[in-house]
Amino acid sequence: MKGYAKRIDSIQEYYFSAKLREVNQLIAEGKPVINLGIGSPDLAPADSVKTALKNAADQSQAHGYQSYQGIPELRTAMAAYYEQAFDVSLNPFQEILPLMGSKEGIMHVSLAFLNPGDEVLIPNPGYPTYRSVTELLECHPMDYNLLENGEPDWEEIESRDLSKVKIMWVNYPHMPTGARGSKEIFSKLIRFAEKHQILLVNDNPYSHILNPNPMSILHVTGGKDVAMELNSLSKTFNIPGWRVGMLCGKAEWISAVLKVKSNMDSGMFLGIQKGAVAALNLPKSWFDELNQQYENRRKLVWQLADSLELSYTKEQSGLFVWCKLPEGKSADELVNFLLYEKNIFITPGHIFGSKGVQHVRISLCMPEFKILEAIKRIKPIKS
Ligand SMILES: Cc1ncc(COP(=O)(O)O)c(C=O)c1O
């Protein structure tokens, strides 16, 4: 055996892949760990969604390979969802590609557009997959900072040599900071992409979570000419394990990504597609009820953060509360103290980039009684 590919030297095992092994080991040893680290919705999918999945399993054609582009019914439901949620009209047969998870879509898009040596703008802090996929493809991530209001630091970006930049990843609502997109931010991004001939990709899995104004970059004037958008059913419909997402954008670009993707998988199980259709057809009350639960949980997480003397803003969207530590305090020390002394797991901000070092991220994916239990365990720290 002549050794590993050089590309794996550029990356590490995904933080949660390694850390959750440790957390699970602690649980196996009998430690009552409360996991406020990951954003895997614990709430149940709607009954109609589960029923559609189960019923599909009885159909004779359910168990064969499925279309590389998903069944027409799914693409049509995705188009209707985009129309209804974001006022964006998409041709279901040309401008939508169902994905087996939007995380996977980051790789598909990158494979379709990047050559080794290309540069890619990624937010710092930001979702770690933008960086690792870029590095796996022997391209170079170029970090950009976010201003207080969540928009990219334009002055800093424009001062760089952008000639080799091919893709810019943006993510509104932003994970981990919870910053929201706006028409102004999207318009500036679109003008920037036009000027520098860069493909913009907005990763939008948190569009409906604690976000008063769900938006798509494709809705903004000029958006469809320079941008694609990834979306996901994981967080919106409580089905992260099903692996359903979508890529939206102009037909030519979707075809390029399909060229890659159709060589990588052989379609999505029919039951998952039927369940996804049922999810996309849920009424608006689904989101209202979901957000009510997250709002209640978030109030408790704010209390937890207060007990730890962390600061945070209350206008964050998404499944987390992004918190800042007091000057001079180390996030790693806090995370380790909480895990090993209090059996509470939260995420250190540095895994999202150098700009996250003074922060921690606390997830809302735990029932209220567990968050209350975490608050109880922490209280004695202060007294
Ligand atoms: C910013 C961001 N993008 C993409 C994903 C991936 O979501 P999916 O479950 O659709 O792969 C996540 C999941 O945590 C995320 O936080």
Side-chain angles (χ1 to χ4, degrees):
M1 210 290 264
K2 296 194 175 67
Y4 299 106
K6 274 206 256 59
R7 72 177 63 86
I8 69 162
D9 294 338
S10 65
I11 56 156
Q12 289 181 347
E13 185 182 354
Y14 194 57
Y15 174 81
F16 287 111
S17 166
K19 195 67 184 178
L20 290 180
R21 248 196 326 268
E22 189 189 343
V23 169
N24 289 334
Q25 179 59 34
L26 291 171
I27 293 169
E29 287 164 14
K31 304 263 162 58
V33 178
I34 298 174
N35 186 345
L36 294 168
I38 56 165
S40 178
D42 58 308
L43 295 164
D47 286 344
S48 61
V49 173
K50 290 185 281 184
T51 304
L53 168 79
K54 288 182 219 160
N55 287 349
D58 288 330
Q59 291 180 21
S60 57
Q61 79 280 22
H63 305 283
Y65 290 122
Q66 299 296 319
S67 155
Y68 294 96
Q69 289 169 274
I71 54 175
E73 195 186 345
L74 176 59
R75 276 177 283 140
T76 306
M78 287 175 167
Y81 169 74
Y82 252 73
E83 184 82 58
Q84 206 261 327
F86 307 118
D87 193 17
V88 170
S89 299
L90 296 167
N91 179 326
F93 304 101
Q94 295 179 323
E95 295 179 321
I96 294 183
L97 182 59
L99 302 171
M100 291 156 80
S102 67
K103 182 176 184 182
E104 291 79 344
I106 296 168
M107 177 60 94
H108 297 139
V109 170
S110 300
L111 278 167
F113 289 94
L114 297 176
N115 293 313
D118 286 342
E119 294 183 341
V120 179
L121 278 164
I122 62 171
N124 181 2
Y127 186 47
T129 305
Y130 310 137
R131 174 184 301 278
S132 50
V133 163
T134 301
E135 289 175 338
L136 274 171
L137 298 185
E138 297 170 54
C139 295
H140 307 297
M142 185 188 276
D143 284 8
Y144 65 87
N145 296 317
L146 298 170
L147 300 172
E148 207 54 13
N149 69 353
E151 74 177 297
D153 183 342
W154 294 113
E155 214 177 300
E156 183 221 1
I157 296 179
E158 289 284 6
S159 70
R160 308 257 189 79
D161 173 6
L162 299 171
S163 55
K164 289 196 190 147
V165 175
K166 247 179 149 181
I167 293 181
M168 178 177 193
W169 289 102
V170 295
N171 165 220
Y172 293 104
H174 181 255
M175 196 292 299
T177 65
R180 293 168 186 161
S182 66
K183 205 167 166 202
E184 292 72 43
I185 295 180
F186 285 141
S187 296
K188 283 189 202 170
L189 283 163
I190 290 164
R191 284 202 298 277
F192 170 80
E194 283 164 353
K195 177 174 162 198
H196 296 284
Q197 296 182 308
I198 289 170
L199 171 67
L200 270 181
V201 191
N202 185 39
D203 183 18
N204 197 9
Y206 299 100
S207 53
H208 281 84
I209 309 295
L210 296 175
N211 186 14
N213 186 20
M215 282 189 75
S216 162
I217 198 168
L218 302 177
H219 175 71
V220 179
T221 310
K224 265 191 167 180
D225 299 326
V226 292
M228 300 183 94
E229 187 159 276
L230 284 170
N231 215 312
S232 170
L233 276 64
S234 297
K235 328 280 182 181
T236 317
F237 299 109
N238 297 337
I239 50 172
W242 287 31
R243 314 305 305 132
V244 192
M246 65 192 100
L247 177 68
C248 307
K250 65 174 155 186
E252 185 193 329
W253 293 344
I254 292 288
S255 300
V257 177
L258 179 61
K259 254 197 211 175
V260 171
K261 187 181 173 312
S262 58
N263 281 293
M264 293 182 72
D265 66 63
S266 299
M268 204 188 306
F269 173 53
L270 184 70
I272 290 181
Q273 299 194 59
K274 293 278 189 186
V277 170
L280 290 160
N281 285 332
L282 285 169
K284 186 180 167 296
S285 56
W286 164 261
F287 301 110
D288 296 339
E289 282 158 30
L290 188 68
N291 280 311
Q292 189 54 57
Q293 304 233 36
Y294 285 132
E295 245 171 62
N296 297 344
R297 290 173 175 196
R298 185 166 62 173
K299 285 192 189 126
L300 295 176
V301 167
W302 287 340
Q303 272 184 43
L304 182 75
D306 292 339
S307 309
L308 293 166
E309 295 172 351
L310 303 171
S311 53
Y312 50 86
T313 60
K314 290 193 167 174
E315 288 76 42
Q316 300 181 19
S317 290
L319 280 180
F320 310 95
V321 178
W322 180 242
C323 305
K324 190 160 195 258
L325 279 91
E327 274 322 306
K329 296 269 184 208
S330 147
D332 265 334
E333 267 174 31
L334 176 65
V335 168
N336 287 336
F337 167 76
L338 289 177
L339 182 57
Y340 302 122
E341 307 288 327
K342 299 286 172 187
N343 293 311
I344 298 167
F345 174 47
I346 62 172
T347 308
H350 66 76
I351 72 156
F352 305 107
S354 59
K355 295 289 171 186
V357 285
Q358 217 29 46
H359 292 79
V360 290
R361 191 192 75 171
I362 309 178
S363 166
L364 305 178
C365 298
M366 268 285 140
E368 286 175 53
F369 78 93
K370 289 269 186 188
I371 307 173
L372 280 166
E373 165 66 22
I375 294 170
K376 230 167 58 198
R377 287 187 200 171
I378 283 167
K379 278 284 185 216
I381 295 179
K382 284 188 74 186
S383 51

